[in-house]
Amino acid sequence: MGRIKAEYIWIDGHKPTAKLRSKTKIFDGPVNSISDLPIWGFDGSSTMQADGNDSDCELMPVYFAPDPIRGGDNILVMCEVNNADGTPHKTNTRAQLRKVHEKYKDQEAWFGIEQEYTFFQGRNPLGWPEGGYPAPQGPFYCGVGADEVYGREIVEEHMEACMKAGLMMSGINAEVMPGQWEFQVGPLGPLDVSDELWIARWLLYRIGEDFGVNATLHPKPVKGDWNGAGAHTNFSTRAMREDGGIKVIEDACEKLKKTHKRHMGIYGAHNEERLTGLHETCSIHEFRYGVSDRGASIRIPMATANDGKGYLEDRRPSANMDPYQVCTAMVATICGDSDSTVEDEPEMVSELVS
Ligand code: ADP
Ligand code: MN
Ligand code: MN
Ligand code: MN
């Protein structure tokens, strides 16, 4: 027994890209299951989720993890936002994913998400000369040395924190643009990968505070001849992972081709600045898939082609995407039969998306 601090984390109504919010609740612990966690509330008029005259929104805990920063029995709590009557708020994109996941859960979809991000200190990417540019891209990707990578101490602390929180991290690497990094979460089911990705993002921002450094998920943080930041989304179903799965993967690519435009509508704001056809991307106006092709919309990894089974990589989502929406779209399109795609899930594309 003893009083604990629970950091309630939720997603706000900011447009075009929602932001994370959180506040602390203190009560008697320890917490052993999600049902031990009280429902809470907040002032939606300050988060673009309500009008001032009727501003109560509800926080419904859906996932919790040990708090690696505060330690002890303290926890981080991911919440869905509900209206005062307990129905899902229109910004609650997780509620949609719950439904689509339930419908197709027998197909055992797994996701692994590569989260790219860029550190900034003031107005400059971390390590860049004030008002100027570093040497052109080339040596920085997976680099080592004080002249090549910037912010490794933050990256290490973040990775350690995510692991202490029990998140299913699968790795980190320095990216092509100096000051840019990536971490990966998964493979996990759609709800888990999304909840864990949001918690990992929260930890990245929170740990950045201690260094006076902020991480941005903007898909094109520096204009010009510099790589953008994406959130490649790796996907498989049980049938794809079993012998003969390559055929199922190719069918999935054909379904994704049909729904390209619809998916692009929810794959993150300002993504057109990143998907130019240069810098290891396919143009936003085209759809292509191919083995080992980092200039395609969908890449089939070499090992998958060789084994005849495995997974596909959707390279289109931008770093600032909402994993609840991206996972909803992919499950609906790929797990549905070829005429029942994401187009038939009208509820999926909430107002938030436009
Ligand atoms: P890349 O070569 O594109 O940089 P990464 O190693 O960064 O790839 O990320 C690959 C991601 O794919 C990891 O998150 C990993 O967990 C995930 N992954 C591996 N196998 C599967 C699978 N069968 N289904 C879904 N995701 C997978
Ligand atoms: Mn990667
Ligand atoms: Mn990358
Ligand atoms: Mn990738």
Side-chain angles (χ1 to χ4, degrees), residues 22-322:
S22 72
K23 58 177 183 163
T24 310
K25 188 169 183 60
I26 300 170
F27 49 81
D28 288 333
V31 167
N32 298 309
S33 91
I34 199 81
S35 56
D36 295 341
L37 285 163
I39 285 189
W40 202 15
F42 67 98
D43 170 14
S45 68
S46 300
T47 62
M48 283 148 259
Q49 285 164 309
D51 297 326
N53 54 357
D54 182 16
S55 69
D56 278 1
C57 290
E58 184 184 275
L59 289 174
M60 177 175 78
V62 291
Y63 174 92
F64 73 100
D67 183 339
I69 296 173
R70 289 172 170 155
D73 284 335
N74 301 307
I75 54 175
L76 304 175
V77 182
M78 195 68 212
C79 299
E80 282 189 31
V81 174
N82 290 332
N83 301 309
D85 67 1
T87 56
H89 190 269
K90 65 175 190 251
T91 59
N92 179 352
T93 52
R94 190 181 187 278
Q96 239 80 59
L97 179 58
R98 271 194 281 123
K99 278 197 235 162
V100 172
H101 173 54
E102 185 60 34
K103 189 165 169 189
Y104 297 112
K105 70 167 187 273
D106 55 316
Q107 298 191 33
E108 294 173 33
W110 289 359
F111 287 87
I113 300 178
E114 305 168 51
Q115 176 69 68
E116 294 179 340
Y117 60 92
T118 312
F119 285 135
F120 271 74
Q121 198 158 38
R123 279 181 299 150
N124 288 313
L126 186 63
W128 288 37
E130 185 66 41
Y133 294 93
Q137 292 186 157
F140 307 110
Y141 170 74
C142 296
V144 62
D147 55 338
E148 309 256 303
V149 297
Y150 308 107
R152 192 187 294 276
E153 65 282 15
I154 313 173
V155 171
E156 287 287 329
E157 193 170 319
H158 174 251
M159 178 164 50
E160 188 63 28
C162 288
M163 292 176 71
K164 278 195 186 140
L167 309 185
M168 181 68 172
M169 307 297 281
S170 50
I172 61 113
N173 60 267
E175 269 303 338
V176 176
M177 186 180 101
Q180 206 165 68
W181 293 82
E182 166 180 319
F183 65 84
Q184 304 106 30
V185 187
L188 287 168
L191 287 166
D192 288 334
V193 82
S194 303
D195 292 338
E196 295 196 12
L197 181 61
W198 277 115
I199 297 269
R201 286 174 173 178
W202 188 90
L203 283 168
L204 183 63
Y205 299 140
R206 171 61 191 81
I207 288 166
E209 288 177 7
D210 296 344
F211 292 87
V213 168
N214 69 291
T216 176
L217 304 186
H218 195 287
K220 194 73 177 184
V222 184
K223 314 297 168 215
D225 201 14
W226 302 96
N227 271 39
H232 297 166
T233 302
N234 301 274
F235 176 89
S236 63
T237 57
R238 194 185 59 239
M240 293 178 181
R241 297 187 291 269
E242 288 175 349
D243 287 347
I246 192 74
K247 175 77 180 70
V248 186
I249 290 171
E250 283 161 6
D251 289 349
C253 292
E254 290 298 328
K255 290 177 178 175
L256 290 167
K257 181 177 186 173
K258 278 205 245 166
T259 52
H260 175 66
K261 255 188 137 163
R262 189 56 167 273
H263 279 236
M264 294 321 305
I266 58 164
Y267 273 16
H270 316 297
N271 206 6
E272 70 287 349
E273 296 177 30
R274 162 180 165 259
L275 296 180
T276 57
L278 302 171
H279 304 111
E280 303 173 54
T281 70
C282 183
S283 161
I284 197 167
H285 305 295
E286 289 171 42
F287 180 92
R288 284 206 318 276
Y289 65 93
V291 174
S292 218
D293 184 356
R294 288 176 191 268
S297 318
I298 308 288
R299 177 175 69 104
I300 298 172
M302 182 66 82
T304 295
N306 290 343
D307 296 348
K309 61 183 172 187
Y311 63 97
L312 61 83
E313 176 191 42
D314 192 339
R315 300 176 60 80
R316 299 170 296 169
S318 66
N320 60 358
M321 60 78 148
D322 170 5

